[in-house]
Amino acid sequence: MGTARMGTAARGAGGEEVRPMTSIRAAGYTSHGKPGTSGMNQFGTAGQGPAPPLATKEMTNPEDVAKEKEKEVNTLLEESAIANSQKKYALALEKAKEAAKKERALCKHRESNNLMEQMNIDLTYSVCFNLANQYQASEMYNEALNTYSLIVKNKQYSQSGRLRVNMGNIYYKQKKYPTAIKMYRMALDQIPSTGKEMRFKIMRNIGNAFVKMGNYQDAIMSYENIMESRPDFQTGFNLVVCYFARGDTEKMKKGFTKMLGIKEAGMDAGAEEENEDGEEEDADLDDDDELKAVVKERRREVTQYIIQA
């Protein structure tokens, strides 16, 4: 019986290489493979390349179909909003119309398959609101008003009355000021007392509409209500202009004095002392800081209001 020197491979019967005692290779595997095993993998089967893609699951369940349709609608809504933010109003409107079409098809699908309990009222509201908003952005005012009207008349949308502000804005642009005031007042009734900021904005819109009509007395009433509760420079300036239109010099002086006493964000005493000439603040503000840029622009607006007043 023959022996092999330690550390060298021995030859067995037929000349086949026998695994040496000191080998670090796993039994049955070699880096070169055995003759006749070209194209074979470690499991002894022929390599077949990458696995084929998984077959798409065919949707036969009505619930699965509804979920897929709902995803498509949400995707179109998102694309419409993005296009609007990029000022691509035609594309935004196109996506909004397509979303509305698919949402109606979704509702019909659920009705025909007895899935009424899965009706998504919030999605329907979002689709209708987005469509109206895109009509408005595209200056298709009649279509926008019709869509807004459908929303506010639907009793399922409890907060939709606030959209009358949007309708009022459209009538304002159309110079239909009495109707705009009517819409603003109806919206004002829908805003709770806690929404003071929104209420003041609507009241300012009402005052602006009265000014356009030449009804300065009613405009003064709207502006004075704001100045008593939440004074701001724009409303104060409008009020001084109304006093001027009525020839009330004394109230003009009082209105201007009140404007000077308004404390605006970013207009504290320290900032005013440091930036008396307006030059130092420009040097200190970082162009990349959006908040500082807004404050700077706001200061310029305030200065302009005071100078004009």
Side-chain angles (χ1 to χ4, degrees):
M1 176 174 156
T3 60
R5 184 167 51 89
M6 182 177 296
T8 62
R11 299 284 177 177
E16 184 178 357
E17 183 178 341
V18 180
R19 176 176 176 267
M21 294 178 60
T22 58
S23 173
I24 60 173
R25 293 180 296 174
Y29 296 92
T30 66
S31 59
H32 301 291
K34 293 182 179 181
T37 61
S38 177
M40 304 288 284
N41 55 30
Q42 62 267 37
F43 299 106
T45 59
Q48 299 177 353
L54 296 176
T56 304
K57 179 182 178 181
E58 183 178 356
M59 294 188 185
T60 56
N61 188 334
E63 292 187 13
D64 292 338
V65 174
K67 290 180 180 179
E68 190 63 27
K69 289 179 178 291
E70 190 167 303
K71 287 182 181 179
E72 293 177 1
V73 174
N74 282 312
T75 300
L76 287 168
L77 283 176
E78 183 178 352
E79 292 175 351
S80 178
I82 292 173
N84 181 281
S85 67
Q86 298 173 344
K87 297 184 178 180
K88 299 177 181 179
Y89 300 124
L91 177 61
L93 179 57
E94 179 184 343
K95 295 291 184 181
K97 288 180 177 179
E98 189 176 352
K101 181 179 178 180
K102 287 185 176 292
E103 196 275 334
R104 287 193 295 268
L106 172 61
C107 290
K108 290 181 180 179
H109 171 78
R110 282 173 168 160
E111 288 176 2
S112 60
N113 289 278
N114 297 321
L115 299 174
M116 297 298 293
E117 71 280 357
Q118 296 183 7
M119 284 292 188
N120 193 336
I121 300 299
D122 293 333
L123 179 62
T124 304
Y125 176 86
S126 299
V127 168
C128 293
F129 171 74
N130 181 64
L131 180 60
N133 190 42
Q134 303 310 335
Y135 276 136
Q136 184 175 354
S138 299
E139 298 184 355
M140 301 175 65
Y141 295 134
N142 290 332
E143 291 83 352
L145 288 171
N146 290 335
T147 308
Y148 280 131
S149 296
L150 292 175
I151 299 175
V152 299
K153 290 178 180 178
N154 193 324
K155 302 298 183 182
Q156 291 179 306
Y157 309 138
S158 58
Q159 304 296 327
S160 62
R162 302 182 183 188
L163 295 181
R164 294 188 186 277
V165 175
N166 301 45
M167 299 175 70
N169 292 339
I170 293 176
Y171 285 123
Y172 187 93
K173 286 188 175 182
Q174 293 179 329
K175 299 183 179 181
K176 299 177 181 179
Y177 303 119
T179 309
I181 292 172
K182 178 183 177 181
M183 290 293 109
Y184 289 142
R185 284 177 169 170
M186 293 177 71
L188 201 59
D189 293 337
Q190 297 287 324
I191 307 298
S193 58
T194 54
K196 293 182 179 180
E197 188 68 26
M198 178 60 70
R199 291 182 65 85
F200 291 143
K201 288 182 179 180
I202 296 174
M203 291 171 67
R204 186 187 300 129
N205 288 354
I206 293 173
N208 295 343
F210 276 128
V211 169
K212 291 290 186 179
M213 295 170 59
N215 188 344
Y216 298 110
Q217 184 56 45
D218 286 338
I220 288 172
M221 292 176 62
S222 294
Y223 294 145
E224 285 181 343
N225 286 335
I226 300 173
M227 293 299 290
E228 289 174 2
S229 303
R230 183 72 175 273
D232 65 89
F233 284 97
Q234 181 180 347
T235 303
F237 175 77
N238 294 348
L239 185 57
V240 170
V241 171
C242 289
Y243 288 147
F244 174 79
R246 290 182 58 84
D248 196 332
T249 307
E250 288 301 319
K251 286 190 176 181
M252 283 180 62
K253 293 179 181 178
K254 291 181 180 179
F256 182 75
T257 302
K258 192 164 188 176
M259 281 184 64
L260 296 178
I262 296 175
K263 297 297 182 182
E264 191 75 14
M267 291 294 292
D268 57 324
E272 291 174 356
E273 292 176 0
E274 293 176 3
N275 302 297
E276 290 180 353
D277 57 358
E279 296 296 332
E280 294 184 10
E281 66 169 341
D282 291 341
D284 293 338
L285 292 180
D286 185 356
D287 292 336
D288 296 332
D289 192 325
E290 294 184 3
L291 179 58
K292 289 183 179 180
V294 169
V295 171
K296 182 172 70 173
E297 182 61 27
R298 187 61 181 161
R299 289 175 182 170
R300 288 176 178 172
E301 291 179 359
V302 168
T303 303
Q304 193 66 22
Y305 281 132
I306 293 176
I307 291 174
Q308 291 180 358

Short mmCIF file of all heavy atoms in Angstrom, two decimals, residues 208-238:
data_model
loop_
_atom_site.label_atom_id
_atom_site.label_comp_id
_atom_site.label_asym_id
_atom_site.label_seq_id
_atom_site.Cartn_x
_atom_site.Cartn_y
_atom_site.Cartn_z
N ASN A 208 -61.75 96.23 0.29
CA ASN A 208 -61.21 96.52 -1.03
C ASN A 208 -62.29 96.58 -2.10
O ASN A 208 -62.26 97.43 -3.00
CB ASN A 208 -60.16 95.47 -1.41
CG ASN A 208 -58.94 95.50 -0.52
OD1 ASN A 208 -58.71 96.48 0.20
ND2 ASN A 208 -58.16 94.44 -0.54
N ALA A 209 -63.26 95.65 -1.99
CA ALA A 209 -64.37 95.65 -2.96
C ALA A 209 -65.21 96.91 -2.82
O ALA A 209 -65.66 97.50 -3.83
CB ALA A 209 -65.22 94.40 -2.77
N PHE A 210 -65.45 97.35 -1.60
CA PHE A 210 -66.20 98.59 -1.39
C PHE A 210 -65.46 99.79 -1.98
O PHE A 210 -66.07 100.69 -2.55
CB PHE A 210 -66.46 98.82 0.10
CG PHE A 210 -67.66 98.08 0.64
CD1 PHE A 210 -67.56 97.26 1.76
CD2 PHE A 210 -68.89 98.23 0.02
CE1 PHE A 210 -68.67 96.59 2.25
CE2 PHE A 210 -70.02 97.56 0.51
CZ PHE A 210 -69.90 96.74 1.63
N VAL A 211 -64.12 99.80 -1.85
CA VAL A 211 -63.33 100.88 -2.44
C VAL A 211 -63.51 100.90 -3.95
O VAL A 211 -63.67 101.97 -4.57
CB VAL A 211 -61.85 100.74 -2.06
CG1 VAL A 211 -60.99 101.71 -2.87
CG2 VAL A 211 -61.65 100.98 -0.57
N LYS A 212 -63.47 99.73 -4.58
CA LYS A 212 -63.65 99.65 -6.02
C LYS A 212 -65.01 100.18 -6.46
O LYS A 212 -65.16 100.72 -7.55
CB LYS A 212 -63.48 98.20 -6.49
CG LYS A 212 -62.07 97.66 -6.37
CD LYS A 212 -61.13 98.32 -7.36
CE LYS A 212 -59.76 97.67 -7.34
NZ LYS A 212 -58.83 98.29 -8.32
N MET A 213 -65.99 100.03 -5.58
CA MET A 213 -67.34 100.52 -5.87
C MET A 213 -67.49 102.00 -5.55
O MET A 213 -68.52 102.61 -5.86
CB MET A 213 -68.37 99.71 -5.07
CG MET A 213 -68.44 98.25 -5.47
SD MET A 213 -69.45 97.28 -4.32
CE MET A 213 -71.03 98.13 -4.43
N GLY A 214 -66.48 102.59 -4.91
CA GLY A 214 -66.56 103.99 -4.50
C GLY A 214 -67.33 104.18 -3.22
O GLY A 214 -67.65 105.32 -2.84
N ASN A 215 -67.62 103.10 -2.51
CA ASN A 215 -68.36 103.16 -1.25
C ASN A 215 -67.33 103.21 -0.10
O ASN A 215 -67.05 102.22 0.55
CB ASN A 215 -69.26 101.94 -1.12
CG ASN A 215 -70.20 102.03 0.06
OD1 ASN A 215 -70.01 102.85 0.96
ND2 ASN A 215 -71.22 101.18 0.07
N TYR A 216 -66.78 104.41 0.11
CA TYR A 216 -65.69 104.55 1.07
C TYR A 216 -66.13 104.38 2.52
O TYR A 216 -65.35 103.92 3.36
CB TYR A 216 -65.01 105.90 0.87
CG TYR A 216 -64.38 106.05 -0.49
CD1 TYR A 216 -64.92 106.91 -1.44
CD2 TYR A 216 -63.27 105.30 -0.84
CE1 TYR A 216 -64.35 107.04 -2.70
CE2 TYR A 216 -62.69 105.42 -2.10
CZ TYR A 216 -63.24 106.29 -3.03
OH TYR A 216 -62.68 106.40 -4.28
N GLN A 217 -67.37 104.75 2.83
CA GLN A 217 -67.83 104.66 4.21
C GLN A 217 -67.87 103.21 4.68
O GLN A 217 -67.40 102.89 5.77
CB GLN A 217 -69.21 105.30 4.35
CG GLN A 217 -69.74 105.34 5.78
CD GLN A 217 -68.78 106.04 6.75
OE1 GLN A 217 -68.24 107.11 6.43
NE2 GLN A 217 -68.55 105.43 7.90
N ASP A 218 -68.44 102.32 3.85
CA ASP A 218 -68.47 100.90 4.21
C ASP A 218 -67.06 100.30 4.22
O ASP A 218 -66.76 99.41 5.03
CB ASP A 218 -69.36 100.12 3.24
CG ASP A 218 -70.84 100.40 3.47
OD1 ASP A 218 -71.19 100.83 4.59
OD2 ASP A 218 -71.63 100.20 2.54
N ALA A 219 -66.21 100.78 3.33
CA ALA A 219 -64.83 100.31 3.32
C ALA A 219 -64.13 100.72 4.61
O ALA A 219 -63.39 99.92 5.21
CB ALA A 219 -64.09 100.89 2.12
N ILE A 220 -64.38 101.96 5.06
CA ILE A 220 -63.79 102.44 6.31
C ILE A 220 -64.20 101.58 7.48
O ILE A 220 -63.39 101.24 8.36
CB ILE A 220 -64.18 103.92 6.54
CG1 ILE A 220 -63.42 104.82 5.56
CG2 ILE A 220 -63.89 104.34 7.98
CD1 ILE A 220 -63.87 106.27 5.59
N MET A 221 -65.46 101.17 7.51
CA MET A 221 -65.95 100.32 8.60
C MET A 221 -65.20 98.98 8.64
O MET A 221 -64.82 98.50 9.71
CB MET A 221 -67.45 100.08 8.44
CG MET A 221 -68.30 101.34 8.67
SD MET A 221 -70.06 101.03 8.37
CE MET A 221 -70.41 99.78 9.61
N SER A 222 -64.97 98.41 7.47
CA SER A 222 -64.24 97.13 7.42
C SER A 222 -62.81 97.32 7.88
O SER A 222 -62.29 96.53 8.68
CB SER A 222 -64.27 96.57 5.99
OG SER A 222 -65.57 96.21 5.60
N TYR A 223 -62.16 98.35 7.37
CA TYR A 223 -60.75 98.59 7.73
C TYR A 223 -60.59 98.94 9.21
O TYR A 223 -59.63 98.51 9.86
CB TYR A 223 -60.18 99.71 6.87
CG TYR A 223 -60.07 99.37 5.39
CD1 TYR A 223 -60.29 100.34 4.41
CD2 TYR A 223 -59.74 98.08 4.97
CE1 TYR A 223 -60.18 100.04 3.06
CE2 TYR A 223 -59.65 97.77 3.63
CZ TYR A 223 -59.87 98.75 2.67
OH TYR A 223 -59.76 98.45 1.33
N GLU A 224 -61.52 99.75 9.74
CA GLU A 224 -61.42 100.13 11.15
C GLU A 224 -61.59 98.93 12.06
O GLU A 224 -60.91 98.84 13.11
CB GLU A 224 -62.48 101.18 11.48
CG GLU A 224 -62.14 102.57 10.95
CD GLU A 224 -63.18 103.62 11.30
OE1 GLU A 224 -64.32 103.23 11.66
OE2 GLU A 224 -62.86 104.82 11.21
N ASN A 225 -62.45 97.99 11.71
CA ASN A 225 -62.61 96.77 12.51
C ASN A 225 -61.30 95.99 12.58
O ASN A 225 -60.94 95.42 13.63
CB ASN A 225 -63.71 95.89 11.92
CG ASN A 225 -65.09 96.45 12.20
OD1 ASN A 225 -65.30 97.18 13.16
ND2 ASN A 225 -66.05 96.11 11.34
N ILE A 226 -60.59 95.95 11.47
CA ILE A 226 -59.31 95.24 11.45
C ILE A 226 -58.27 95.97 12.29
O ILE A 226 -57.54 95.36 13.08
CB ILE A 226 -58.81 95.08 10.00
CG1 ILE A 226 -59.81 94.27 9.17
CG2 ILE A 226 -57.44 94.40 9.97
CD1 ILE A 226 -59.48 94.22 7.69
N MET A 227 -58.21 97.29 12.12
CA MET A 227 -57.19 98.08 12.82
C MET A 227 -57.40 98.06 14.33
O MET A 227 -56.44 98.20 15.09
CB MET A 227 -57.19 99.52 12.30
CG MET A 227 -56.73 99.65 10.85
SD MET A 227 -55.03 99.09 10.59
CE MET A 227 -54.12 100.38 11.46
N GLU A 228 -58.62 97.87 14.77
CA GLU A 228 -58.89 97.81 16.20
C GLU A 228 -58.46 96.47 16.80
O GLU A 228 -58.09 96.39 17.98
CB GLU A 228 -60.38 98.04 16.47
CG GLU A 228 -60.83 99.48 16.23
CD GLU A 228 -62.33 99.64 16.36
OE1 GLU A 228 -63.00 98.62 16.69
OE2 GLU A 228 -62.84 100.74 16.14
N SER A 229 -58.51 95.42 16.00
CA SER A 229 -58.22 94.07 16.52
C SER A 229 -56.83 93.58 16.14
O SER A 229 -56.10 93.03 16.96
CB SER A 229 -59.27 93.08 16.02
OG SER A 229 -60.58 93.50 16.39
N ARG A 230 -56.48 93.73 14.87
CA ARG A 230 -55.21 93.21 14.37
C ARG A 230 -54.63 94.19 13.35
O ARG A 230 -54.71 93.96 12.15
CB ARG A 230 -55.43 91.83 13.74
CG ARG A 230 -54.17 91.14 13.25
CD ARG A 230 -53.33 90.66 14.39
NE ARG A 230 -52.18 89.91 13.95
CZ ARG A 230 -52.20 88.59 13.71
NH1 ARG A 230 -53.30 87.90 13.89
NH2 ARG A 230 -51.11 87.98 13.31
N PRO A 231 -54.07 95.30 13.80
CA PRO A 231 -53.59 96.33 12.86
C PRO A 231 -52.43 95.84 12.01
O PRO A 231 -51.58 95.08 12.48
CB PRO A 231 -53.15 97.47 13.79
CG PRO A 231 -52.86 96.82 15.10
CD PRO A 231 -53.81 95.68 15.21
N ASP A 232 -52.43 96.25 10.76
CA ASP A 232 -51.32 95.97 9.86
C ASP A 232 -51.15 97.15 8.92
O ASP A 232 -52.06 97.97 8.75
CB ASP A 232 -51.56 94.67 9.09
CG ASP A 232 -52.74 94.77 8.14
OD1 ASP A 232 -52.55 95.17 6.98
OD2 ASP A 232 -53.88 94.46 8.58
N PHE A 233 -50.01 97.25 8.29
CA PHE A 233 -49.67 98.43 7.49
C PHE A 233 -50.54 98.55 6.23
O PHE A 233 -50.92 99.66 5.86
CB PHE A 233 -48.19 98.39 7.10
CG PHE A 233 -47.28 98.74 8.24
CD1 PHE A 233 -46.68 97.75 9.00
CD2 PHE A 233 -47.02 100.06 8.56
CE1 PHE A 233 -45.85 98.07 10.06
CE2 PHE A 233 -46.18 100.40 9.62
CZ PHE A 233 -45.59 99.39 10.37
N GLN A 234 -50.83 97.44 5.60
CA GLN A 234 -51.63 97.51 4.38
C GLN A 234 -53.03 98.04 4.66
O GLN A 234 -53.52 98.93 3.97
CB GLN A 234 -51.73 96.12 3.73
CG GLN A 234 -52.52 96.14 2.42
CD GLN A 234 -52.61 94.76 1.79
OE1 GLN A 234 -51.90 93.84 2.17
NE2 GLN A 234 -53.49 94.62 0.82
N THR A 235 -53.66 97.49 5.70
CA THR A 235 -55.00 97.97 6.06
C THR A 235 -54.95 99.41 6.53
O THR A 235 -55.83 100.22 6.19
CB THR A 235 -55.59 97.08 7.18
OG1 THR A 235 -55.61 95.72 6.74
CG2 THR A 235 -57.00 97.51 7.52
N GLY A 236 -53.91 99.76 7.31
CA GLY A 236 -53.77 101.14 7.77
C GLY A 236 -53.62 102.11 6.61
O GLY A 236 -54.21 103.19 6.60
N PHE A 237 -52.86 101.73 5.60
CA PHE A 237 -52.69 102.58 4.42
C PHE A 237 -54.01 102.73 3.67
O PHE A 237 -54.39 103.84 3.25
CB PHE A 237 -51.63 101.97 3.50
CG PHE A 237 -51.47 102.70 2.20
CD1 PHE A 237 -50.77 103.90 2.14
CD2 PHE A 237 -52.02 102.20 1.03
CE1 PHE A 237 -50.62 104.58 0.95
CE2 PHE A 237 -51.88 102.87 -0.16
CZ PHE A 237 -51.18 104.07 -0.21
N ASN A 238 -54.73 101.61 3.49
CA ASN A 238 -56.03 101.67 2.80
C ASN A 238 -56.99 102.59 3.56
O ASN A 238 -57.78 103.32 2.94
CB ASN A 238 -56.63 100.27 2.68
CG ASN A 238 -55.82 99.37 1.76
OD1 ASN A 238 -54.94 99.84 1.05
ND2 ASN A 238 -56.12 98.08 1.79
#
